[in-house]
Amino acid sequence: MITCDSSVQLPFQAGAHGLACDGVSIQSIVATVGTPVYIYSARAIRDAYRSIDDAFAGYPHAIHYALKANSTLAIVRQLKALGSRVDANSSGEIEVALRAGFAPREIVFTGVGKTGAELDYAIAHDVGAINAESAGELDRIAARARAAGRVVRVALRVNPDIDAQSHPNISTGLRSNKFGVALQDARGIYRARRDEKSLQFVGVHVHIGSQITTAEPLRRAAAVLTTLALELRDDGVPLEHVDLGGGLGIAYEGRPMITAAEYAAAVLPELRRANLPVVLEPGRAIVAHSGALVARVADVKQYPDGRRFAVLDAGMSELMRPALYGSFHRIVPVSPRQTPETPWDVVGPICESSDVFARERPLPELCVDDLVAILDTGAYGAVMASNYNRRLLAPEVLVDEGRWSVIRRRQTIDDVLALES
Ligand SMILES: Cc1ncc(COP(=O)(O)O)c(C=O)c1O
């Protein structure tokens, strides 16, 4: 049995009759729904959520699941049922949270470059906190709140210049990144606005990056934020929480990975110095392992030098991470294979040379019409899909306790063209 380091049992396992998701045959789902299709395990989402919740059980905490990782309504409702709250990154994500049944106070609203309309929307709904990205944004929130006769709960996102030691494109806590305010400016920004009646400072916020695989950068971020919270207390700006953002990585390649318990053990001693409740915004660690993108081999090609390509009916339009970050995903055939493994380039059908899922990946013989599953695609998969090449968004299926249901149907060309005149 394959498990990941957080002892969450991985949902996609090969059996005698082919790959299954928590015991449900992938073939049988595909026979009805077709390909490409995203398939998720509700059980894996529950297990991953609980492993984080349990790790912080001895300390006041709130998990605000980061909707950007996967905001399909049925998935979001699963999280709601577990007691999660949410981190939203746009008014669209706030709307999803509200429709999934979250109370506005259970939402933190983060994101660079929030528009005036988005701020008004968040202010009108009285969300739990707006995590402001700059002094200017705080002032715009204050002005809009005054105009609306409201008091807004805010936190300031701090950029602590800490290297998350992740991929450069998903590191957000360095001075060279666009996120937050410089640490040395943060205290002054709070102090200068502490008498602003339309702002209620409830927290400090940091998010240093995603797919973080070691505890030390996360510990350092917690240390910096706790110190700032203590300084603000001295300045007469008492806070309600410290928001550590998300970032916990998962074992895409089976390499050693920080567990939720190790994460908690690293940050809790720092947090205890201020004894403020902690807000966590995990996304990937909750949903990544739960999902697989299942695709069909549409073509097989071999060059004279021996290089072989398996062209799938899914590409960067369905799963952008490999093209965007060169990210690694395990790829497994859905039917059992006895043939020896040889190197394959697994690619998509899009007219871009970056439309590649894997280069020279050892795989058994692949033939046209074979099914393959691209694993650990529950996070930053379906949410990043596009209609490039006029391709239609893939359906999504949720497996739960031996049953499965379509939680988003396949898009039709009429859905796409309905927006056009
Ligand atoms: C502010 C913020 N919080 C939380 C997250 C979720 O990160 P992860 O999925 O790595 O946990 C992100 C993702 O980039 C983010 O920008």
Side-chain angles (χ1 to χ4, degrees), residues 163-171 208-213 217 247 284:
D163 185 355
Q165 289 157 18
S166 182
H167 189 283
N169 291 11
I170 49 175
S171 292
I208 59 169
S210 197
Q211 184 54 13
I212 300 173
T213 58
R284 185 190 309 272

Side-chain angles (χ1 to χ4, degrees), residues 259-289:
T259 63
E262 287 162 352
Y263 175 38
V267 300
L268 285 176
E270 300 295 346
L271 293 168
R272 285 205 169 90
R273 291 191 289 116
N275 250 328
L276 284 172
V278 64
V279 166
L280 305 165
E281 301 172 356
R284 185 190 309 272
I286 292 180
V287 288
H289 280 312

Side-chain angles (χ1 to χ4, degrees), residues 64 66 68-69 87 89 110-111 131 133 157 170 172 179 205-207 209-212 243 245-249 281-286 379-380:
H64 285 248
K68 62 176 71 71
D87 164 39
N89 214 63
T110 316
N131 288 334
E133 285 279 343
R157 179 169 177 174
I170 49 175
T172 53
F179 302 93
H205 178 230
V206 75
H207 171 76
S210 197
Q211 184 54 13
I212 300 173
D243 183 341
L248 204 54
E281 301 172 356
R284 185 190 309 272
I286 292 180
Y380 306 106

Side-chain angles (χ1 to χ4, degrees), residues 365-389:
E365 192 65 21
L366 292 173
C367 303
V368 169
D369 276 343
D370 282 353
L371 295 174
V372 296
I374 307 176
L375 301 184
D376 305 321
T377 48
Y380 306 106
V383 277
M384 286 191 183
S386 79
N387 290 124
Y388 186 37
N389 282 197

Side-chain angles (χ1 to χ4, degrees), residues 17 20 44 49 60 113 130 137 145 149 238 291 302 375 411:
H17 303 293
Y49 177 88
I130 301 180
E137 186 173 281
Q302 178 158 2
L375 301 184
Q411 198 177 35

